[in-house]
Amino acid sequence: MEDPSPKNASSPPNWDSIDEDIFCPLCAYNLRGLVEPRCPECGFRFDWPELLDPARRLHPYVFEHHPESNFRSFRRTLWGGLRPKRFWQSLHPAQPSHPRRLLLYWLVASAVFCVVLSLSLIIPNAISLASRNRAIRQVMNTPNDPGFVKMVVQSHGSLDAYYDEIAPPVASWAFLVSLISDTFPALIPLMICYIAWPWLTFASLMVFRWSMRRTKVNPTHVIRCVVYSFDAAMCGVLLIMGVELTTLCLAPGALYYIVPVTASLIVIGSIVVMAFRVYVAYKRYLRFDHPLATIIASQIIALLGLFNILLLLGRVL
Ligand SMILES: [Zn+2]
């Protein structure tokens, strides 16, 4: 049988020796008979071997393609994304997308992010609350004002009941409730930002898809770009947790000024890294024109959307 592969990446294949139809991986346009390696429907530029070589359709490690080793493929996908140029060169639109696996990847990354974020806020809050309550109990343990004692006993039944209410001990339900009510006002907006940001980015990129005459591009590919770029937030929060635990072990007194400053820098760094990764995805994976301008505009739109969500949340809460 004659070799259907082109002599080089841009020369046309021998269509007479290819039995199956070959479709554009972004918009599913039938490319059979074409000479130029460019989809006339969506403008996607490719090399013929990327579409014709079946061996290239399975990615070596990405989570979507390897359900047989979930933990390993998750770890390797997360790690691979830290080198976005290499990652987005290795992943090609012709490698089929599996939306359920993609969603599962995002849900697992989000669950890990939310748990680690909660712990990173709860641990310092718990230490601070326990130390405050201990101090209150020590100061108020021996009240010498009989009028005050009488008033407290009348209103709370006993001095201990009063202390348990205003400064509950660590191993108590009241302490847990107090800890949660102290932590939630910061935790909820951060979680909402984390969950909303990638999808606001996706929505804004869909707008640009229309304005750039790339309407035929399957949205799954845009979701792929967003999910494999925004998982960097998980690495960011793990880094914050690492800084927090290290500070707790080495210099606990510095916890309340080293960690907030470091965490702010890591958050800013993570946002820049995530935007850069979407930019690389748009440049090397979707091969859009003007990827930098597109991503900057999409992030401004996403940021405005987030402000609106937080304003709305502020009114509701
Ligand atoms: Zn196309």
Side-chain angles (χ1 to χ4, degrees):
M1 186 181 166
E2 197 179 340
D3 181 11
S5 301
K7 299 286 179 289
N8 61 54
S10 56
S11 61
N14 180 3
W15 287 112
D16 290 337
S17 58
I18 300 173
D19 296 328
E20 57 180 341
D21 284 335
I22 302 296
F23 297 97
C24 168
L26 289 190
C27 72
Y29 181 84
N30 192 341
L31 303 169
R32 187 170 186 82
L34 284 185
V35 173
E36 189 189 0
R38 178 183 178 278
C39 171
E41 186 74 5
C42 72
F44 179 62
R45 289 186 181 279
F46 51 86
D47 292 334
W48 283 113
E50 291 173 333
L51 306 193
L52 298 173
D53 184 358
R56 295 193 185 193
R57 288 180 193 160
L58 189 70
H59 191 275
Y61 61 81
V62 83
F63 187 77
E64 281 171 274
H65 289 180
H66 293 279
E68 77 285 355
S69 55
N70 281 322
F71 180 75
R72 190 164 177 265
S73 59
F74 183 90
R75 181 178 56 78
R76 290 195 70 189
T77 305
L78 192 70
W79 184 250
L82 296 177
R83 288 167 292 179
K85 285 182 184 170
R86 191 184 291 185
F87 180 80
W88 289 112
Q89 260 170 349
S90 72
L91 189 62
H92 185 270
Q95 294 168 331
S97 184
H98 303 285
R100 281 189 184 180
R101 299 272 309 162
L102 200 55
L103 184 66
L104 180 64
Y105 180 80
W106 186 74
L107 287 174
V108 172
S110 301
V112 173
F113 175 91
C114 290
V115 169
V116 178
L117 177 71
S118 304
L119 286 174
S120 71
L121 290 176
I122 283 173
I123 290 171
N125 274 357
I127 294 170
S128 163
L129 193 62
S131 136
R132 192 203 71 172
N133 289 2
R134 214 177 300 121
I136 290 173
R137 279 174 171 266
Q138 277 171 358
V139 168
M140 300 188 73
N141 211 17
T142 50
N144 46 17
D145 180 353
F148 171 74
V149 173
K150 190 180 171 190
M151 189 181 74
V152 164
V153 170
Q154 276 178 349
S155 59
H156 289 80
S158 68
L159 273 174
D160 282 342
Y162 175 67
Y163 295 150
D164 285 349
E165 185 182 316
I166 63 159
V170 173
S172 70
W173 180 252
F175 182 85
L176 187 66
V177 171
S178 179
L179 182 62
I180 289 171
S181 63
D182 276 6
T183 308
F184 265 38
L187 185 62
I188 297 297
L190 287 173
M191 278 190 181
I192 286 174
C193 286
Y194 167 77
I195 290 166
W197 199 310
W199 301 107
L200 286 170
T201 300
F202 167 69
S204 61
L205 290 173
M206 294 301 284
V207 172
F208 289 116
R209 190 187 66 142
W210 293 320
S211 67
M212 294 174 81
R213 297 180 188 172
R214 303 286 296 268
T215 50
K216 302 288 183 181
V217 173
N218 188 330
T220 308
H221 291 289
V222 183
I223 294 177
R224 213 180 206 183
C225 293
V226 169
V227 167
Y228 288 146
S229 299
F230 277 82
D231 60 355
M234 187 184 138
C235 300
V237 82
L238 284 170
L239 202 59
I240 292 172
M241 193 73 203
V243 170
E244 192 172 299
L245 292 177
T246 309
T247 313
L248 258 175
C249 293
L250 300 179
L255 187 68
Y256 298 98
Y257 57 91
I258 284 186
V259 173
V261 173
T262 318
S264 306
L265 293 174
I266 292 173
V267 168
I268 293 168
S270 299
I271 291 168
V272 172
V273 166
M274 288 188 288
F276 176 71
R277 289 166 76 168
V278 188
Y279 156 71
V280 176
Y282 257 59
K283 187 179 178 186
R284 291 178 187 264
Y285 178 82
L286 290 183
R287 302 172 194 180
F288 265 45
D289 299 326
H290 316 297
L292 185 62
T294 305
I295 299 309
I296 290 173
S298 81
Q299 291 309 284
I300 292 170
I301 293 171
L303 200 61
L304 291 173
L306 269 185
F307 274 129
N308 276 319
I309 289 174
L310 291 176
L311 279 176
L312 203 66
L313 190 72
R315 279 187 211 142
V316 173
L317 294 178

